[in-house]
Amino acid sequence: GENVEQHPSTLSVQEGDSAVIKCTYSDSASNYFPWYKQELGKRPQLIIDIRSNVGEKKDQRIAVTLNKTAKHFSLHITETQPEDSAVYFCAANRDDKIIFGKGTRLHILP
Amino acid sequence: DSGVTQTPKHLITATGQRVTLRCSPRSGDLSVYWYQQSLDQGLQFLIQYYNGEERAKGNILERFSAQQFPDLHSELNLSSLELGDSALYFCASSAMGQAEKLFFGSGTQLSVL
């Protein structure tokens, strides 16, 4: 069945440093990999997504990489800022489902 | 504001009861998804509807059911409630329902006492 594993569950980084969150998926038919950010008490919001025909995508301080052979994808946040503190979810599609990982709680330390 | 409306925002009820959660998708979106978010459990996919028809099913309990109406709003019905059903229930919508951005509502916080 569909399964998306996400690591680490908690991540603390110094402000200004980089953060990396990694995910693996089980279904080789998955071709869409979004990342969502959920701030405390708020709804999840899409921050970046990547499709299987692309290996990397960047949007300012955020980048996502995809390795289809290994079935893993990663989120990279550079020059972290206090407002990056949140829970981040990776996800993968299978047919019409979007399956989420369990989330990574990112703490940005002053 | 995502354009997705969920009501009520909070619901407190007792075990054994039945509740209905309501979701109105963004204008023009045909697909509605329901997710359950418990502490440390991420976003569990429950069910998806597209233009009134069930399209995909996840780990939805038999005590739970949903439907999407002709005006595209959706309702999630939870019956014979148990303490473990306490969670934040999110509705999300998308235009076509296939590998695209989801817009989430603000959720319904259900507390079963």
Side-chain angles (χ1 to χ4, degrees):
Chain A
E2 308 85 2
N3 205 25
V4 178
E5 300 288 337
Q6 183 171 349
H7 300 280
S9 57
T10 306
L11 179 61
S12 296
V13 300
Q14 212 70 38
E15 182 179 346
D17 288 350
S18 296
V20 180
I21 302 170
K22 298 183 178 182
C23 289
T24 60
Y25 60 99
S26 59
D27 195 325
S28 56
S30 294
N31 58 10
Y32 175 64
F33 308 92
W35 287 87
Y36 284 78
K37 175 183 180 182
Q38 186 178 26
E39 295 177 0
L40 190 61
K42 299 202 173 171
R43 72 195 79 193
Q45 291 189 293
L46 182 77
I47 55 172
I48 195 167
D49 56 12
I50 191 168
R51 296 185 186 274
S52 58
N53 57 346
V54 174
E56 183 175 358
K57 184 176 179 180
K58 282 185 180 179
D59 182 3
Q60 299 182 344
R61 296 186 297 107
I62 293 173
V64 58
T65 59
L66 171 64
N67 183 328
K68 281 222 72 176
T69 304
K71 289 193 268 186
H72 65 70
F73 55 114
S74 301
L75 178 72
H76 304 251
I77 306 174
T78 59
E79 300 172 12
T80 52
Q81 300 170 5
E83 54 265 36
D84 295 331
S85 291
V87 178
Y88 291 81
F89 292 97
C90 64
N93 74 318
R94 172 60 199 276
D95 297 328
D96 299 311
K97 303 178 187 179
I98 302 289
I99 305 299
F100 286 83
K102 290 198 172 183
T104 296
R105 188 172 297 277
L106 177 61
H107 299 277
I108 306 301
L109 306 173
Chain B
D1 185 8
S2 67
V4 179
T5 304
Q6 282 190 253
T7 56
K9 290 193 183 307
H10 303 278
L11 203 46
I12 301 174
T13 189
T15 55
Q17 295 298 304
R18 172 189 167 94
V19 297
T20 297
L21 312 183
R22 183 187 168 101
C23 170
S24 293
R26 283 190 327 153
S27 177
D29 282 358
L30 298 178
S31 193
V32 169
Y33 300 73
W34 285 98
Y35 287 88
Q36 179 192 58
Q37 186 173 41
S38 305
L39 286 174
D40 300 326
Q41 286 298 311
L43 291 157
Q44 296 287 322
F45 172 71
L46 296 178
I47 199 163
Q48 184 209 359
Y49 283 84
Y50 175 77
N51 204 22
E53 299 291 326
E54 181 185 306
R55 180 172 266 189
K57 214 166 190 176
N59 298 323
I60 187 167
L61 300 172
E62 285 191 12
R63 300 183 287 109
F64 296 0
S65 65
Q67 55 184 322
Q68 186 179 27
F69 294 87
D71 67 352
L72 301 177
H73 92 270
S74 179
E75 293 181 356
L76 179 66
N77 300 295
L78 314 176
S79 61
S80 303
L81 285 167
E82 302 176 358
L83 296 177
D85 297 328
S86 295
L88 183 55
Y89 291 84
F90 281 108
C91 163
S93 76
S94 69
M96 298 300 291
Q98 287 187 341
E100 58 187 355
K101 180 177 180 177
L102 299 182
F103 293 86
F104 281 83
S106 55
T108 293
Q109 182 66 58
L110 174 66
S111 298
V112 182
L113 306 178

